[in-house]
């Protein structure tokens, strides 16, 4: 049985992952409105990943005999100035998620909850990839965004991203 503080914090992260999915779906619709379907595809895949992250927390809380608390998911922004500003937002958002995961690890360690610490290590590794992939696109926009047609070349590249479900834990 989990400590109540750990359970509450994991439910909080379940909400944060659902918010991330909302955020990326909103960004997808922004790109669709700009006819950048490759960028929109990248965001759709990102939203699918976030839903998978949320379900990992959901399943783990239940697996430990905990109680799921689904709280209100805040509405994300709906508009951005440019693709560059969107990806600056994505990169900052993922850095913030990394800090949330680190706080969860700190709590698990403080409570000597080794099982939860072990569970969270998947997310520690995942956040390295999340930051890297967001920053990779951000840097490409900075370089290619200046060149004529550069943003459309990048759009074709981002159209190729496909969702790969993470390995199921149950
Ligand atoms: Fe669930 Fe993008 O981290």
């Amino acid at each position: 049985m989990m400590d109540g503080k750990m359970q509450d914090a994991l439910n909080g992260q379940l909400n944060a992952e659902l918010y991330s999915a909302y955020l990326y779906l909103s960004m997808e619709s922004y790109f669709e409105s700009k006819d950048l379907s490759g960028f929109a595809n990248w965001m759709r895949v990102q939203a699918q990943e976030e839903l998978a992250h949320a379900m990992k927390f959901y399943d783990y809380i239940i697996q430990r005999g905990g109680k799921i608390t689904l709280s209100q998911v805040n509405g994300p922004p709906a508009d951005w100035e440019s693709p560059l500003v969107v990806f600056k937002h994505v990169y900052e958002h993922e850095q913030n998620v990394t800090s949330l995961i680190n706080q969860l690890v700190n709590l698990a360690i403080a409570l000597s909850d080794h099982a939860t610490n072990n569970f969270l290590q998947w997310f520690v590794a995942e956040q390295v990839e999340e930051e890297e992939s967001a920053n990779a696109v951000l840097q490409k926009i900075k370089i290619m965004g200046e060149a004529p047609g550069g943003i459309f070349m990048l759009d074709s590249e981002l159209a190729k991203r496909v969702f790969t479900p993470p390995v199921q834990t149950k």
Side-chain angles (χ1 to χ4, degrees):
M1 195 68 184
M2 262 189 306
D3 186 289
K5 273 191 281 206
M6 195 77 249
Q7 176 182 283
D8 290 348
L10 292 173
N11 272 304
Q13 190 61 33
L14 169 55
N15 182 278
E17 300 291 347
L18 290 171
Y19 175 77
S20 293
Y22 262 35
L23 176 64
Y24 294 132
L25 285 175
S26 186
M27 289 173 170
E28 178 187 351
S29 71
Y30 163 82
F31 283 118
E32 288 291 3
S33 76
K34 304 289 176 198
D35 290 326
L36 290 168
S37 60
F39 279 91
N41 173 66
W42 194 97
M43 289 299 170
R44 168 67 64 103
V45 172
Q46 192 70 14
Q48 287 173 303
E49 285 198 355
E50 300 303 348
L51 290 173
H53 293 172
M55 291 314 297
K56 266 180 152 343
F57 281 98
Y58 183 100
D59 288 341
Y60 179 73
I61 293 165
I62 288 178
Q63 199 177 13
R64 292 294 304 280
K67 183 177 181 328
I68 296 290
T69 306
L70 293 172
S71 46
Q72 183 174 339
V73 181
N74 291 330
D79 203 12
W80 291 265
E81 279 171 37
S82 66
L84 178 67
V85 172
V86 175
F87 270 88
K88 279 185 179 166
H89 189 166
V90 174
Y91 187 40
E92 281 165 19
H93 180 72
E94 289 301 335
Q95 288 174 308
N96 184 49
V97 174
T98 299
S99 103
L100 294 177
I101 297 292
N102 287 343
Q103 287 169 37
L104 290 174
V105 172
N106 290 343
L107 180 61
I109 290 169
L111 295 170
S112 299
D113 185 344
H114 301 292
T116 300
N117 184 14
N118 185 51
F119 164 75
L120 290 169
Q121 291 308 307
W122 185 89
F123 286 93
V124 171
E126 175 71 2
Q127 282 310 121
V128 174
E129 285 182 25
E130 290 279 78
E131 287 190 31
E132 183 189 22
S133 66
N135 192 37
V137 180
L138 176 58
Q139 295 312 317
K140 281 182 185 171
I141 294 174
K142 282 183 180 171
I143 295 164
M144 298 171 79
E146 300 296 315
I151 210 77
F152 296 104
M153 280 171 59
L154 187 51
D155 192 59
S156 301
E157 186 183 323
L158 298 183
K160 295 180 193 141
R161 187 181 189 197
V162 289
F163 174 59
T164 311
V167 175
Q168 290 300 304
T169 50
K170 63 171 287 198

